[in-house]
Amino acid sequence: YSRIHSISQSFSISSTGSVTRVRASGLENYWIFAGLKPAERAAVAKAFEPQHFPAGHVIYELPSDEEAPFDHTGLHQLCIVTRGQVELVVGEMDQRAVAVYGVGQIFGPNLSLMNLDEYSQIRCSKPTDVIALDTCCLELLCQKFTALQQAFSTCRELRSELGTNEHLRQLWRGFEMLNDIELEEVRALLATEVYSVGVQVCRQGQEVGKLLLVVRGEVELEYGNHQKR
C-alpha cells in the first residue's frame, strides 16, 4: 500500500492506470534532483516523456568494442520505472542478470558504479512502462541548472574513487569477505547518492529499503528534542 501511495503522489496517472507525467514534487524522492529549486524541478518534470517497452526490449546496449569504449564522461538517458521491471545483464556469451529495477526506481548508466566497459544490456524482463529524460534534454538541463550538473559531476568522481575492488574493500569491512567476481556483482547493485548539508536522509518509521555507505562527509543521528548523537 505504501508503494502505491508513493506512486500516486509522485506521478500523474490516467484513467486507464498508466503514468503520464512525473510530478515536480515527486522528483524530491530522487537524490539526483533533490538539490534543485522548486521551479527547476518543475522544468525537469516537464521534460520527462512516457515510454512503453515489450518484454525483452533492450533499452541500453554497450557492446564489447575496444575501439568504441563507453563514454563515462558523457550524459546518458535517465528512466524511472512506472510499471514492469528491467534488469542489468552483463556478459556477451555467458549472460547474467546482476541488478533489477522495479516500480519507482531510477536507472541509467550515469548513476551506476559498475565498470560499463564490459558488454552489458539494460533490458525489460516484463512489459515495462517508464518515464524517460533523453540525452539531449538532460544535456540542456545540466547547462541550465548548476545543481544538476554538479550532481552528475559528483557521480563521475565517486565512480573514479570506487573504481576498483580494493577501493570497495577499504570502504566497508563486509566487502573483505567477497572475492573479485562477487564484488563485481555487488558493484552492479551500487548507485551513487549525494545529499546537501542539512538534508534529512531518513526518519523513524520510514521504509528505507537499502544500505547506505558513507563515502564522503558525515551523518548525524538526531533523536528526542533534536539531540544529536
Side-chain angles (χ1 to χ4, degrees):
Y1 176 80
S2 62
R3 176 60 63 88
I4 294 173
H5 177 73
S6 175
I7 292 297
S8 66
Q9 293 298 308
S10 300
F11 304 102
S12 298
I13 303 175
S14 71
S15 58
T16 61
S18 61
V19 169
T20 57
R21 287 289 177 185
V22 61
R23 301 181 193 274
S25 58
L27 292 181
E28 295 179 13
N29 299 323
Y30 303 98
W31 76 266
I32 195 73
F33 306 117
L36 298 178
K37 299 175 182 177
E40 294 173 338
R41 276 197 293 270
V44 172
K46 290 180 180 178
F48 274 92
E49 294 290 343
Q51 297 183 15
H52 172 76
F53 304 114
H57 177 82
V58 176
I59 300 176
Y60 301 107
E61 183 170 36
L62 306 172
S64 54
D65 186 348
E66 295 181 358
E67 296 181 358
F70 180 71
D71 180 13
H72 287 287
T73 63
L75 291 171
H76 305 272
Q77 183 185 43
L78 285 183
C79 297
I80 300 175
V81 181
T82 59
R83 185 177 69 92
Q85 180 177 281
V86 300
E87 56 188 12
L88 172 61
V89 179
V90 299
E92 188 167 10
M93 301 299 293
D94 183 21
Q95 293 189 342
R96 64 189 189 280
V98 294
V100 175
Y101 304 94
V103 174
Q105 291 185 291
I106 189 170
F107 66 90
N110 294 106
L111 303 184
S112 175
L113 290 180
M114 186 180 178
N115 180 6
L116 293 176
D117 291 332
E118 179 182 2
Y119 178 85
S120 59
Q121 294 180 338
I122 294 181
R123 68 187 182 197
C124 302
S125 53
K126 301 177 180 179
T128 300
D129 292 337
V130 304
I131 50 171
L133 191 60
D134 69 34
T135 302
C136 292
C137 283
L138 195 54
E139 290 174 346
L140 290 174
L141 289 168
C142 283
Q143 292 173 12
K144 190 173 182 180
F145 303 135
T146 304
L148 190 59
Q149 184 181 45
Q150 182 59 45
F152 282 109
S153 176
T154 301
C155 282
R156 289 193 292 271
E157 292 171 7
L158 290 175
R159 188 182 297 113
S160 176
E161 290 180 17
L162 301 175
T164 68
N165 287 341
E166 287 308 310
H167 288 149
L168 287 182
R169 292 187 176 105
Q170 293 171 15
L171 178 63
W172 185 43
R173 292 183 61 184
F175 290 148
E176 294 177 359
M177 299 180 290
L178 304 179
N179 61 40
D180 286 344
I181 294 176
E182 292 169 335
L183 267 182
E184 283 303 319
E185 295 195 6
V186 168
R187 187 188 302 279
L189 300 173
L190 296 177
T192 51
E193 295 190 4
V194 181
Y195 298 93
S196 303
V197 175
V199 172
Q200 185 182 69
V201 179
C202 61
R203 63 181 181 274
Q204 184 178 3
Q206 177 185 3
E207 180 184 352
V208 179
K210 56 189 171 184
L211 172 68
L212 298 174
L213 302 174
V214 179
V215 179
R216 295 179 180 175
E218 61 183 23
V219 296
E220 296 176 328
L221 173 63
E222 290 188 351
Y223 62 98
N225 188 24
H226 298 291
Q227 300 179 54
K228 296 180 179 179
R229 179 169 63 189

